[in-house]
Amino acid sequence: MTERTAQNTHVVVIGGGYAGVLAANRLQNGSDVAVTLVNPRPQFVERIRLHQMVAGNHGATADYDTVLGAGVRLLVDGAECIDADIRQVQLTSGAVLDYDYLIYAVGSTSGVPASVPGAAEFAYPLSEFEQAQRLRARLADVPMSAPVVVVGGGLTGIEAAGELAEQGRAVTLVTDVVGASLGAGARRSVIKALTKLGVSIIDGPEILVSGVEPDAITLADGNRIPSAVTVWTTGFGVPGLAAASGLTTDELGRLLTDETLTSVDDDHIVAAGDAAAPSGLPLRMSCQSAGPLGVQAGNTVLARISGTEPEGINQAFAGQCVSVGRNAGTVQLCHSDDSPRRVYIGGRTAAFVKEQVCRATVTFLGKEGRKPGSYFWFKGENRARQLAEAQQETLVTADARSKKI
């Protein structure tokens, strides 16, 4: 079966996360453009709230009716393969979806490393809705007094540890660095808040998890830490759809594009969000970058439909927000290139700011759906500098190799 609309240009968006929703909504700005959003789940998932879902204080979902514009058709299905030669997407249901343009916004995922014995069997990752459901069900089966270990001190690990400790659980956070992406002051703020909630922190440059068991983890130095539930928050990847479809990707599997987010293989395929690697220099995986990339991907497709030259991406980072339970948090202000400034906000004020950011994120999705073109984002000139630095690094590396030869 082939599904297709009768309008002039059909754009298929694969992925209904932050990038995919904003891309689909922005496409409503085009005349005679039909938009189909393909997503395997019937509800929008607020990934930035999955740690709350695990703790039971938020559902972490929203109805697509509240975030998608009326001009976007939602198709609840999975994408199995992209046939770029004939511009078709093979769906999990067996249906085939024709497209004129395709926006690849499949997002990111996480798992546990195969190199760590026992991790695949006994650890619980936390970056997808189904993973959060599984973790929540597991936590419901163990007493509140049972030890919980969170592996990884990035923003996800910090938030998971804080949320579970605030419930009254005995939480140990195991990592090399707590909040490595934050500045020194902000890291101290996070550690203070975690400690106040009773989180035990085992950190240091030599800390490495060497094994996961049903009731413990082991470290490379031989120490064994009891753990009834091991939450794994390190490492991110992307779905393998692009690579499996024969499209050019980077080493992680992100679709390789130019600066307009257009695939280097096919100018009818545009990428957005965590699964995009513009010029081989992807932005940090986050909803802060996914949203603007989604809008810019939509703009690229609209430009190509109208026969105009699409613009290169232009966006800047503003900061990083991390909650530590419901009553504390840290907001790290950043330079436009995502490097941390010395300024940060901590405590209850930061918790309030983080909550407003989470709410506003969903609000802005819906607003763009109702009024395409209303979404705005921070812009900067750092992208051109990054490209120039990467080019110079490539030249230096090539020169060094030639001298070795």
Side-chain angles (χ1 to χ4, degrees):
M1 181 178 72
T2 298
E3 297 188 34
R4 188 181 179 91
T5 67
Q7 288 179 274
N8 290 343
T9 305
H10 185 207
V11 184
V12 171
V13 180
I14 302 179
Y18 299 102
V21 166
L22 278 167
N25 285 344
R26 178 54 61 98
L27 287 166
Q28 294 177 112
N29 257 345
S31 58
D32 295 325
V33 176
V35 185
T36 300
L37 178 72
V38 178
N39 193 68
R41 306 180 188 93
Q43 286 187 304
F44 174 78
V45 175
E46 293 187 65
R47 288 185 66 177
I48 55 178
R49 290 194 186 272
L50 287 179
H51 59 287
Q52 290 184 249
M53 173 189 162
V54 168
N57 59 51
H58 200 284
T61 61
D63 291 335
Y64 271 112
D65 287 347
T66 66
V67 296
L68 276 181
V72 179
R73 171 196 175 212
L74 173 65
L75 180 59
V76 180
D77 208 333
E80 295 296 318
C81 182
I82 300 165
D83 192 329
D85 291 336
I86 58 175
R87 296 180 194 164
Q88 284 186 343
V89 181
Q90 297 172 14
L91 303 176
T92 304
S93 64
V96 175
L97 196 60
D98 296 324
Y99 67 84
D100 295 302
Y101 287 90
L102 181 139
I103 293 184
Y104 186 81
V106 298
S108 59
T109 184
S110 75
V112 291
S115 59
V116 179
E121 294 84 359
F122 306 120
Y124 292 79
L126 182 58
S127 71
E128 297 182 57
F129 184 72
E130 291 77 13
Q131 293 173 346
Q133 284 182 313
R134 176 172 171 261
L135 173 56
R136 182 175 176 177
R138 171 58 182 158
L139 287 166
D141 285 341
V142 301
M144 292 295 291
S145 58
V148 175
V149 170
V150 177
V151 178
L155 303 190
T156 301
I158 291 167
E159 293 190 322
E163 214 72 44
L164 295 176
E166 194 172 70
Q167 281 188 312
R169 294 190 178 275
V171 179
T172 300
L173 180 64
V174 177
T175 184
D176 52 352
V177 179
V178 177
S181 62
L182 306 175
R187 286 199 295 272
R188 288 193 295 270
S189 170
V190 166
I191 292 171
K192 179 180 178 181
L194 288 171
T195 302
K196 187 175 181 180
L197 288 175
V199 176
S200 299
I201 299 174
I202 300 175
D203 63 340
E206 304 302 320
I207 296 299
L208 181 68
V209 177
S210 60
V212 181
E213 304 169 27
D215 59 352
I217 67 166
T218 54
L219 302 181
D221 61 7
N223 283 333
R224 189 172 183 273
I225 303 169
S227 177
V229 183
T230 298
V231 184
W232 198 280
T233 68
T234 67
F236 281 86
V238 296
L241 176 61
S245 300
L247 299 169
T248 302
T249 66
D250 69 1
E251 66 282 355
L252 195 63
R254 290 171 287 212
L255 186 66
L256 192 61
T257 75
D258 63 16
E259 283 297 287
T260 71
L261 299 174
T262 304
S263 166
V264 297
D265 302 309
D266 189 327
D267 61 9
H268 286 259
I269 298 177
V270 177
D274 291 350
S279 302
L281 292 173
L283 283 73
R284 173 170 59 87
M285 289 182 173
S286 65
C287 70
Q288 185 178 176
S289 58
L293 285 173
V295 171
Q296 291 174 95
N299 287 342
T300 289
V301 170
L302 291 175
R304 294 198 180 279
I305 292 173
S306 66
T308 60
E309 189 67 26
E311 297 180 359
I313 58 173
N314 184 347
Q315 66 185 82
F317 288 90
Q320 300 178 49
C321 301
V322 56
S323 61
V324 187
R326 294 296 85 210
N327 298 305
T330 298
V331 176
Q332 170 70 73
L333 301 183
C334 294
H335 296 284
S336 61
D337 65 356
D338 203 27
S339 60
R341 297 179 183 269
R342 296 180 64 182
V343 182
Y344 71 92
I345 304 168
R348 287 183 175 271
T349 301
F352 175 80
V353 172
K354 171 66 188 297
E355 177 60 24
Q356 300 315 303
V357 167
C358 291
R359 293 183 181 183
T361 299
V362 175
T363 298
F364 289 156
L365 296 179
K367 185 178 180 182
E368 179 69 17
R370 295 186 301 273
K371 188 179 178 181
S374 62
Y375 186 86
F376 64 92
W377 66 93
F378 294 102
K379 298 181 180 180
E381 303 302 323
N382 55 291
R383 185 67 183 176
R385 185 178 70 250
Q386 290 174 337
L387 290 170
E389 290 173 351
Q391 185 178 27
Q392 181 61 33
E393 184 177 343
T394 300
L395 291 172
V396 169
T397 302
D399 182 59
R401 286 177 178 171
S402 66
K403 289 178 178 178
K404 279 187 179 181
I405 293 173

